[in-house]
């Protein structure tokens, strides 16, 4: 019999753009978009594996889950799980020590360009009709900051 895997708050990790198939290949998978504190024990009672991001697993909850072997935290922090209670109960707990370095770098560049080019403000101005109403051939909400010759530290 395959281990039961329960993902308590799948929406935070996957709002619908990826497949859970790789998890399903590892065991009997159940995915919940969100779980309230009152739902966790019932949903997890037969689980060997729990995956959480925001759903809190207190000592009281962990002690009620007698089949639990592993808790995976899909975040860099561990504050959502009582690590001491899990460890003393023989439950392995892991988190994601680092994730998305490429995405973070890309987002940093996007924010930098927003600060210099004001794409969001210009887009809103165009949508609201300010560009069409502008008496000038050229339209901008605010001056664009040129990056040439500038230095940045991240």
């Amino acid at each position: 019999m395959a281990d039961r895997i329960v993902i308590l708050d799948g929406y935070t990790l996957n709002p619908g753009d990826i497949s859970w198939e790789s998890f399903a290949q590892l065991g009997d998978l159940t995915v919940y978009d969100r779980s309230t504190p009152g739902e966790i024990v019932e949903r997890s009672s037969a689980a060997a594996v729990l995956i959480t991001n925001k759903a809190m697993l207190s000592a009281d909850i962990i002690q009620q889950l007698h089949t639990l072997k592993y808790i995976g935290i899909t975040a860099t922090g561990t504050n959502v799980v009582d690590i001491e209670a899990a460890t003393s109960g023989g439950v392995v707990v892991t988190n994601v020590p680092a994730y998305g370095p490429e995405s973070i770098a890309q987002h940093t560049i996007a924010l930098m360009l927003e600060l210099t080019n004001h794409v969001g403000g210009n887009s809103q101005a165009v949508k609201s009709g300010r560009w069409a109403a502008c008496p000038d051939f050229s339209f901008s909400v605010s001056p664009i900051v040129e990056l040439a010759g500038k230095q940045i530290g991240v």
Side-chain angles (χ1 to χ4, degrees), residues 12-134:
T12 60
L13 183 61
N14 176 12
D17 58 339
I18 61 175
S19 169
W20 292 114
E21 182 58 33
S22 57
F23 277 95
Q25 292 175 6
L26 299 173
D28 178 22
L29 177 66
T30 304
V31 179
Y32 297 100
D33 279 347
R34 294 166 189 84
S35 296
T36 65
E39 296 170 325
I40 293 173
V41 171
E42 180 183 339
R43 290 178 171 186
S44 309
S45 64
V49 174
L50 281 183
I51 307 295
T52 185
N53 182 270
K54 306 283 185 234
M56 303 288 285
L57 300 176
S58 65
D60 180 56
I61 288 173
I62 293 168
Q63 290 164 358
Q64 294 179 63
L65 304 176
H66 305 294
T67 58
L68 192 58
K69 299 176 191 173
Y70 171 80
I71 299 170
I73 306 168
T74 61
T76 56
T78 58
N79 62 311
V80 297
V81 174
D82 187 317
I83 304 289
E84 187 176 317
T87 310
S88 68
V91 177
V92 174
V93 179
T94 63
N95 67 330
V96 181
Y99 61 85
E102 293 87 3
S103 298
I104 292 168
Q106 179 177 325
H107 189 67
T108 301
I109 291 168
L111 292 175
M112 178 183 65
L113 291 173
E114 174 59 29
L115 288 172
T116 58
N117 291 50
H118 315 285
V119 174
N122 281 301
S123 176
Q124 288 296 75
V126 168
K127 289 176 185 175
S128 70
R130 287 180 53 202
W131 182 49
C134 180

